[in-house]
Amino acid sequence: MEADGAENTDISNTKKPKHKGKHDKPKPWDEDPNIDRWKIEKFDPSWNQGGMVDVSSFSTLFPKYREKYLTDAWPMVKSALKEFGIDCELNKNEGSMTVKTTIKTRDPYIIVKARDLIKLLSRSVPAPQAIKILNDDMSCDIIKIGNMIRNKERFVKRRQNLVGPNSSTLKALELLTGCYILVQGNTVAAMGSFKGLKQVRRIVEDCIQNKMHPVYHIKILMMKKELEKDPALKNENWDRFLPKYKKKTVKQKKVKSKKKKQDTPFPPPQQPSMEDIQLETGEYFLSDKKKQAKKWHEKQEKQLEKTAENKRKRDAAFVPPKELVKEDPSTYADNNKDVAAMAMSLKKKAKEFGKQKSFENVNPEDYIATSGEQPRKKKSKRD
């Protein structure tokens, strides 16, 4: 019984997984290592010999300043689209470009490529570069950056960071991502592979939203290029090799809060009119001649004040600076005499003060004779 149970468990483990869909079954080419699933094969007209069932068309507007260039480059665009069986039309009156399929069109996706072509031409992409979008391995992405930031000055500054001095940052990004990038107005047009377009979109959005400067993205991409060359690191995580940049918080200026006015139901007091002011000053009752004479006198006074002030400013340039007065040697001698006299007076005062102190310190016992002692005889000086 135990052996039978073991056999049943083995059978249950080896059972194939059930598929939900009717056609969701493993195919023989799913696990074929020789097939490259990321390779985009070139379209063969034999795949669609019947052509298109219905006419598909796309149209887009272009700005006025592009009209002259498009008129000159339109024959080149027309010949490039004719190879794929696409008809195109340039309408100068409406300012639009139109592409549509014809009986000769075989590739069903080429109309989408033609739509991208006229979109790129309207975004100021040169015609020789825009025609490359018709290739199967080429894609495009138009990134709208105008609505990412409100402040116009900041927007212009960050867009300039994306371009760099002498377009050096843009050229570096083109080399590292393998994409053509054009910054024009409120949009960024990019052409290249899907992988490169994904990188370009991320870099552009980070730059405009001020998350990371494009220079740091360039450093990371350069390091990734070097890591790709090492086959040992092919299946490893590269985060430990890549630099991590933290956004520095810069102290912003504090916005001065305006004092809110108190809401009152009463209206503000009425300002006096011109007539009221004239009535107060008495000017209202003057005649026209007197009014003109008064205005003329006021004007003359202002002119006189102005001329006097201008003259004062002009004369200030001709005022000589104050010269340093040299003192005579006789004055030095007088000063020295005064100092000597002061020193002598101070010395006299010091002597007088010393004598006064000596009188104060006299001991009276030295001069009082006691009862037991005889007074000392003074010694007479003999010659």
Side-chain angles (χ1 to χ4, degrees):
M1 291 295 288
E2 289 178 2
D4 293 338
E7 285 175 6
N8 290 331
T9 53
D10 292 337
I11 291 161
S12 63
N13 290 333
T14 55
K15 276 183 181 179
K16 292 180 180 179
K18 290 182 180 181
H19 299 282
K20 290 179 182 178
K22 184 180 176 183
H23 304 287
D24 190 10
K25 294 176 183 179
K27 313 296 190 293
W29 55 81
D30 283 349
E31 297 177 2
D32 191 357
N34 299 322
I35 297 170
D36 186 8
R37 290 171 183 79
W38 293 102
K39 188 182 178 183
I40 300 167
E41 293 182 8
K42 194 176 181 181
F43 180 79
D44 190 4
S46 62
W47 297 349
N48 186 18
Q49 292 179 357
M52 309 300 289
V53 177
D54 199 359
V55 176
S56 301
S57 65
F58 291 99
S59 62
T60 185
L61 300 171
F62 61 85
K64 186 73 176 175
Y65 63 85
R66 290 287 290 169
E67 186 178 333
K68 190 177 183 302
Y69 178 79
L70 290 170
T71 309
D72 298 338
W74 199 248
M76 190 199 303
V77 176
K78 200 167 187 178
S79 62
L81 289 169
K82 196 175 181 181
E83 292 176 12
F84 298 94
I86 298 289
D87 188 21
C88 59
E89 185 186 348
L90 178 68
N91 193 336
K92 293 180 187 176
N93 296 329
E94 294 179 2
S96 65
M97 294 179 283
T98 310
V99 289
K100 56 185 177 180
T101 57
T102 60
I103 303 165
K104 296 179 181 178
T105 309
R106 293 290 176 268
D107 188 357
Y109 192 71
I110 197 67
I111 187 65
V112 180
K113 293 268 188 181
R115 179 202 64 183
D116 293 341
L117 169 62
I118 58 172
K119 203 183 283 184
L120 290 167
L121 287 169
S122 66
R123 299 282 177 183
S124 301
V125 177
Q129 179 64 36
I131 287 166
K132 291 178 185 177
I133 196 67
L134 298 172
N135 299 335
D136 290 333
D137 58 343
M138 187 72 73
S139 304
C140 78
D141 188 12
I142 292 167
I143 307 156
K144 292 181 181 180
I145 56 174
N147 56 356
M148 287 185 184
I149 185 168
R150 289 183 180 180
N151 194 332
K152 194 175 180 181
E153 291 178 3
R154 285 182 185 175
F155 170 72
V156 171
K157 193 176 179 182
R158 289 175 192 177
R159 188 179 62 182
Q160 188 58 37
N161 288 344
L162 187 63
V163 176
N166 299 323
S167 303
S168 57
T169 310
L170 206 64
K171 286 173 187 174
L173 288 170
E174 284 180 353
L175 289 168
L176 291 165
T177 56
C179 296
Y180 171 81
I181 306 166
L182 178 74
V183 181
Q184 177 74 15
N186 293 334
T187 57
V188 177
M191 290 173 63
S193 61
F194 288 111
K195 187 182 176 184
L197 291 174
K198 193 178 178 182
Q199 289 173 341
V200 170
R201 178 170 273 277
R202 187 185 171 190
I203 291 162
V204 169
E205 286 178 353
D206 284 358
C207 178
I208 301 299
Q209 291 171 0
N210 202 24
K211 288 181 180 177
M212 191 185 288
H213 199 276
V215 172
Y216 299 133
H217 275 293
I218 288 165
K219 287 181 180 178
I220 290 165
L221 287 170
M222 287 172 74
M223 292 187 78
K224 282 182 179 178
K225 286 271 183 187
E226 292 295 321
L227 291 164
E228 280 175 6
K229 294 175 184 177
D230 192 356
L233 301 168
K234 191 176 181 181
N235 298 321
E236 288 189 23
N237 191 6
W238 293 349
D239 288 345
R240 56 200 172 101
F241 301 109
L242 300 174
K244 292 176 183 177
Y245 299 104
K246 290 182 180 179
K247 188 182 173 184
K248 292 180 181 178
T249 53
V250 182
K251 288 184 179 179
Q252 295 180 348
K253 290 181 180 178
K254 291 181 179 178
V255 181
K256 292 180 180 177
S257 59
K258 293 180 180 178
K259 290 181 179 178
K260 290 183 179 180
K261 293 180 180 178
Q262 292 180 352
D263 295 332
T264 56
F266 306 105
Q270 190 176 0
Q271 297 296 322
S273 64
M274 202 67 187
E275 290 179 357
D276 295 337
I277 295 164
Q278 286 178 352
L279 283 166
E280 285 178 9
T281 55
E283 193 180 343
Y284 184 79
F285 303 102
L286 295 173
S287 62
D288 293 338
K289 284 185 179 179
K290 287 182 178 180
K291 283 179 184 178
Q292 287 177 0
K294 189 180 179 184
K295 280 183 183 178
W296 186 78
H297 281 299
E298 287 175 359
K299 194 176 179 182
Q300 289 293 320
E301 285 175 5
K302 284 181 181 178
Q303 283 181 355
L304 288 168
E305 286 176 8
K306 194 75 177 172
T307 50
E309 190 180 347
N310 291 336
K311 192 179 180 184
R312 209 180 305 115
K313 285 179 182 178
R314 285 197 299 272
D315 294 343
F318 298 102
V319 175
K322 290 182 179 179
E323 293 182 1
L324 295 169
V325 182
K326 290 183 179 180
E327 293 184 2
D328 295 332
S330 59
T331 56
Y332 286 115
D334 295 340
N335 291 337
N336 290 334
K337 285 179 182 177
D338 294 341
V339 171
M342 278 179 72
M344 289 294 289
S345 65
L346 286 168
K347 281 180 182 178
K348 283 179 182 179
K349 282 180 181 179
K351 281 181 181 178
E352 287 172 6
F353 185 71
K355 285 177 181 178
Q356 196 175 357
K357 263 199 169 183
S358 63
F359 287 129
E360 286 174 0
N361 295 331
V362 170
N363 192 2
E365 291 178 359
D366 295 341
Y367 295 92
I368 297 167
T370 54
S371 58
E373 290 180 358
Q374 291 179 358
R376 292 178 183 177
K377 290 180 181 180
K378 290 182 180 179
K379 291 181 180 179
S380 60
K381 291 181 181 179
R382 291 179 183 179
D383 294 329

